[in-house]
Amino acid sequence: MQEFVETRWMGQMTFEAAIDGYPIRMDSSPEHGGSNFGPRPKPMVLSSLAGCTGMDVVSILTKKRITFQDFKIQIHAEMTETHPKYYHKIHLVYHFTGENFEGNTELYEKIKRSIELSSDNYCGVSAMLRKSCDITWEIQLKNL
């Protein structure tokens, strides 16, 4: 399978990518010549990681018939100091909210296994990033 993305310069430091027919605008801050018309490219990589693993985890948990009321992924990333600057440490926090989630060891283990499957077997974004950085994660369970 081959992917195709076209990215067009829109002036100054603004670029617009067309991904599957959806426009995504990227820009830089004014101190770097931009106008803040969109997110920076590197954090979009983190967003792609969250979307990729998130979709895997939801799919796996759905197959296991595990329901939740809320799910979010927060990512904390550390960038190198020298150019080319890239993320060398990425930490994901998977937050799940549902009925009787806190302290539920059996549920925790099922969610943990789903995240491991995503991280180790399914998420292509994670596989690419793992070649250049350390990726860690944790799970937070919260009751409704």
Side-chain angles (χ1 to χ4, degrees), residues 29-102:
S29 60
E31 61 265 17
H32 293 106
S35 300
N36 278 328
F37 285 139
R40 312 302 173 261
K42 283 183 239 178
M44 288 181 63
V45 171
L46 299 177
S47 181
S48 294
L49 172 60
C52 185
T53 186
M55 289 178 194
D56 290 342
V57 170
V58 166
S59 176
I60 294 165
L61 292 177
T62 299
K63 289 174 185 166
K64 292 181 179 187
R65 292 185 170 87
I66 295 173
T67 59
F68 45 87
Q69 277 59 52
D70 192 38
F71 171 41
K72 69 180 176 183
I73 301 169
Q74 295 177 326
I75 298 182
H76 308 274
E78 192 175 301
M79 199 171 297
T80 60
E81 296 289 326
T82 58
H83 290 282
K85 293 183 179 184
Y86 62 92
Y87 298 120
H88 67 102
K89 290 183 182 178
I90 297 174
H91 183 72
L92 295 90
V93 183
Y94 294 81
H95 294 267
F96 290 90
T97 304
E99 294 225 9
N100 302 314
F101 271 34
E102 289 178 40

Side-chain angles (χ1 to χ4, degrees), residues 101-119:
F101 271 34
E102 289 178 40
N104 187 332
T105 308
E106 183 181 338
L107 176 66
Y108 180 90
E109 289 301 320
K110 289 178 181 179
I111 291 173
K112 178 182 172 193
R113 181 64 185 138
S114 298
I115 294 169
E116 288 170 345
L117 285 169
S118 173
S119 177

Side-chain angles (χ1 to χ4, degrees), residues 7 13-17 24-28 38-41 44:
T7 303
M13 298 300 281
T14 306
F15 287 81
E16 187 173 278
I24 310 251
R25 189 164 285 190
M26 297 169 278
D27 200 1
S28 184
R40 312 302 173 261
M44 288 181 63

